[in-house]
């Protein structure tokens, strides 16, 4: 399965949101993905989130290992952030009414 989208932290402090348009069969699913990924982009502005995400990426790429405790905490926080993003997907219905279904 190909990834549909994902936020990428940038060195200048911004976030690049990359979306694979070909993975979206219609405007409703695209709108839902946009809202979901914008929530993730907003999450990076929270205190210490950007640094944690970068540390997690470095760990996943084998550049610099996290302790087991830090890795578990990172995974727990990622799950909470994912739940938050899913919980806001309803907002896509305000942009594309068919996304509300």
């Amino acid at each position: 399965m190909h990834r549909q989208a994902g936020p990428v932290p940038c060195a200048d402090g911004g976030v690049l949101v990359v979306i694979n348009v070909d993975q979206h069969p219609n405007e409703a699913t695209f709108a839902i993905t946009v809202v979901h990924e914008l929530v993730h982009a907003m999450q990076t502005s929270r205190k210490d989130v950007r640094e944690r995400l970068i540390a997690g990426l470095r760990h996943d790429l084998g550049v610099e290992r996290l302790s087991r405790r830090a890795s578990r905490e990172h995974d727990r926080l990622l799950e909470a952030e994912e739940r938050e993003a899913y919980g806001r997907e309803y907002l896509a219905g305000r942009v594309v009414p068919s996304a509300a279904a």
Side-chain angles (χ1 to χ4, degrees), residues 52 55-57 59 64-71 74:
R52 179 180 49 81
L57 288 171
H59 173 81
E64 187 175 345
R65 294 285 174 208
L66 291 173
S67 69
R68 284 189 196 147
R69 173 184 267 174
S71 181
H74 174 67

Side-chain angles (χ1 to χ4, degrees), residues 43-54 81:
Q43 290 167 340
T44 64
S45 69
R46 294 178 180 157
K47 186 176 184 338
D48 300 326
V49 170
R50 175 182 218 68
E51 292 77 14
R52 179 180 49 81
L53 291 174
I54 292 170
E81 290 160 355

Side-chain angles (χ1 to χ4, degrees), residues 2 8 10 35 83-84 101:
H2 299 286
V8 180
C10 298
V35 168
R83 281 191 307 276
E84 178 184 16

Side-chain angles (χ1 to χ4, degrees), residues 19-35:
I19 299 175
N20 185 344
V21 177
D22 294 335
Q23 294 293 313
H24 297 84
N26 55 53
E27 64 184 12
T29 60
F30 182 74
I32 290 167
T33 297
V34 168
V35 168

Side-chain angles (χ1 to χ4, degrees), residues 64-96:
E64 187 175 345
R65 294 285 174 208
L66 291 173
S67 69
R68 284 189 196 147
R69 173 184 267 174
S71 181
R72 283 191 308 269
E73 178 68 3
H74 174 67
D75 290 343
R76 185 187 68 75
L77 291 169
L78 283 178
E79 284 295 321
E81 290 160 355
E82 196 63 26
R83 281 191 307 276
E84 178 184 16
Y86 279 118
R88 300 299 184 264
E89 287 180 356
Y90 74 92
L91 294 170
R94 294 185 180 183
V95 179
V96 177

